[in-house]
Amino acid sequence: MFIGRPLLVLLSLFIATIANANPCVTVLRDKEPLFLFSKKLPRPTGSSWKIKTWEVSEPKEWQASEISSLTKHLYEIRKQGLTIFFDQITEAGPIAFFRAKFGTRLVSDSDGKPTSIPEPKLAALHYRLKNSIHFHDSYFDPNAGKISFGDTLTDRSEQIMLLHELAHAFDHKSLQYNSSNETFLKLSGWESSGKLKNVDEAEIQRVWDESVSLNKKGLTTEAHNLAKNFAHAHGFPTLYAMMNPSETYAEMVSFISLAPDAPKYLNPELITWFKTNVLK
């Protein structure tokens, strides 16, 4: 049983009032916390690359408007039902929401050692071991070019990005109906080798690069249409969904739940598989 609309509106207003004074607040379900808006991400200890990642991401505290926005999106997602889905991802405790300026990407330095660099267009990222999701500036910026080419930058796209990260949490916790499931891989077009059956990887990269180039030129509509049309023609919701099975899984969860036109371009058997095993 989830929070009713009047109660959630009051909760959202209450959260917005106290957030700046006490950013460590929760979204509740039957007196149990599902999600925790945590204070600034603590500085790690140990490995130098972990400290570097923390420094590069530039951790920050939550703003009241951001908490209010995410709370609203969580309510809209919960309107889809998904009781078992939410029970699964919060079984081991609430998911922590952290705030940072940038996402990061792990690369090798000149000595071959791991180090991190900022990835400004990475809107959010789920961390499996920490059971947490980090939200970055680009998530809340309607003018930021997101790396997930395929959906327009609307209020709905923020809900899709949020559910995408929650889907990664479900994927990591589910022992059976995850992105390694044989039926899922078959229906979505992935081979056991990790390659798509009927799509040339070079063609995917070409469309990706062209979309990036168009975005850099400010031609966001053209970039969106190029990526969307290519993905839909091959049975995927976005170009990003064609990167690997894990991203396919997360994007499918998001678009099957929140995009009314998804049945027009997705495999109907795949939609049935998700609604039967994941989205309930």
Side-chain angles (χ1 to χ4, degrees), residues 137-201:
D137 283 5
S138 61
Y139 180 92
F140 300 99
D141 182 359
N143 298 313
K146 308 297 193 295
I147 65 171
S148 183
F149 301 113
D151 193 48
T152 51
L153 300 180
T154 64
D155 192 55
R156 181 172 70 97
S157 72
E158 289 189 15
Q159 294 173 28
I160 286 175
M161 287 188 291
L162 174 56
L163 184 52
H164 175 106
E165 299 305 329
L166 296 177
H168 279 313
F170 186 94
D171 183 16
H172 293 150
K173 290 180 177 295
S174 177
L175 299 178
Q176 184 175 2
Y177 301 113
N178 53 40
S179 60
S180 298
N181 180 278
E182 290 185 6
T183 302
F184 159 74
L185 293 172
K186 179 181 178 180
L187 293 175
S188 58
W190 286 98
E191 297 178 341
S192 57
S193 62
K195 294 184 177 182
L196 284 171
K197 294 179 182 177
N198 301 313
V199 190
D200 183 16
E201 289 184 359

Side-chain angles (χ1 to χ4, degrees), residues 1-3 8 11 15 23-38 74 78 85-97 131 166 173:
M1 182 176 182
F2 58 88
I3 300 172
L8 189 100
L11 176 61
I15 286 174
C24 192
V25 294
T26 60
V27 176
L28 304 177
R29 179 198 62 188
D30 295 338
K31 298 183 179 180
E32 296 180 5
L34 286 178
F35 307 100
L36 176 69
F37 290 85
S38 298
L74 284 168
R78 287 306 306 270
F85 176 89
F86 275 86
D87 285 346
Q88 179 84 32
I89 64 176
T90 58
E91 182 180 19
I95 295 178
F97 288 173
N131 195 32
L166 296 177
K173 290 180 177 295

Side-chain angles (χ1 to χ4, degrees), residues 73-112:
H73 295 322
L74 284 168
Y75 169 72
E76 294 298 327
I77 291 171
R78 287 306 306 270
K79 285 197 330 187
Q80 308 300 316
L82 309 184
T83 301
I84 294 177
F85 176 89
F86 275 86
D87 285 346
Q88 179 84 32
I89 64 176
T90 58
E91 182 180 19
I95 295 178
F97 288 173
F98 287 101
R99 189 70 174 84
K101 184 174 182 179
F102 299 119
T104 61
R105 180 159 53 95
L106 198 62
V107 298
S108 297
D109 62 17
S110 57
D111 296 324

Side-chain angles (χ1 to χ4, degrees), residues 121 146-147 149 205-219 223-224 226-227 239:
K121 293 183 180 180
K146 308 297 193 295
I147 65 171
F149 301 113
Q205 189 62 51
R206 182 194 67 77
V207 175
W208 181 278
D209 292 342
E210 190 172 344
S211 296
V212 171
S213 177
L214 289 169
N215 266 317
K216 288 181 178 179
K217 295 175 182 177
L219 301 174
H224 162 72
L226 173 67
L239 189 60

